Amino acid sequence: MALNLIKLCVGCDSVEDLEEWIAFRLDERKRAGEPVEQWHTTRMVPTRAAELTDGGSLYWVIKGSVQCRQRLVDIRPFVDGEGISRCHLVLDPVVMRTEWQPRRPFQGWRYLKPNEAPADLGQGRTGWAEMPPKLRQELAELGLL
């Protein structure tokens, strides 16, 4: 069974913001003649990379709730220009919405076991996927989701 990561999506107010940012960065790379792939740079390199890239995902916490995930494609450690070890978490650019799961703030990323990960929308509660995102956010803020 694949292992997952969970991380705060700093700077995004919604899943739509994240999707727009991904599309923008992919377009930038295409215009620059670079490989068209999406990655997230992090300082710490996961030691369990083989488990993560065997079907695992990066779950994004947006505004205090896990709201979506992206499949982990590869993990590429590197040393930046200042000699600091870093890591590219290479992600499938397709963002999969999940059931919302409240999370307290934390730094960096954490491992997320499959049995602790929220289900993709449409695989759990009926009607959840059709609910407008703004309404879902308001209900989550009230602690009703």
Side-chain angles (χ1 to χ4, degrees):
M1 194 175 269
L3 185 64
N4 303 297
L5 293 177
I6 185 169
K7 183 158 183 13
L8 300 182
C9 192
V10 179
C12 286
D13 291 328
S14 66
V15 176
E16 291 78 15
D17 281 352
L18 176 62
E19 289 172 326
E20 288 172 14
W21 184 86
I22 292 168
F24 175 77
R25 294 293 292 155
L26 291 176
D27 189 50
E28 273 188 332
R29 288 190 176 105
K30 184 177 182 179
R31 283 186 278 122
E34 298 173 359
V36 182
E37 61 183 6
Q38 192 226 339
W39 67 79
H40 178 76
T41 304
T42 183
R43 171 92 189 246
M44 302 303 293
V45 179
T47 57
R48 300 170 70 180
E51 293 173 82
L52 292 167
T53 56
D54 187 26
S57 292
L58 175 61
Y59 284 78
W60 290 110
V61 177
I62 301 173
K63 294 291 185 183
S65 292
V66 176
Q67 296 186 29
C68 60
R69 69 178 179 90
Q70 289 180 271
R71 190 175 55 81
L72 280 160
V73 176
D74 197 7
I75 295 175
R76 298 182 190 148
F78 69 98
V79 177
D80 70 11
E82 298 175 1
I84 300 171
S85 295
R86 299 199 183 274
C87 176
H88 282 154
L89 303 174
V90 182
L91 304 165
D92 184 324
V94 175
V95 177
M96 303 286 294
R97 285 165 172 72
T98 64
E99 290 185 355
W100 285 20
Q101 186 182 76
R103 287 288 172 149
R104 298 181 75 109
F106 58 92
Q107 289 186 338
W109 52 260
R110 303 282 184 270
Y111 289 113
L112 180 66
K113 297 175 188 169
N115 63 334
E116 297 172 353
D120 290 347
L121 280 186
Q123 293 184 352
R125 304 176 207 169
T126 54
W128 178 264
E130 292 80 26
M131 190 182 299
K134 180 114 173 111
L135 178 59
R136 278 195 307 239
Q137 174 136 7
E138 289 174 8
L139 291 172
E141 288 171 0
L142 292 170
L144 299 173
L145 292 180

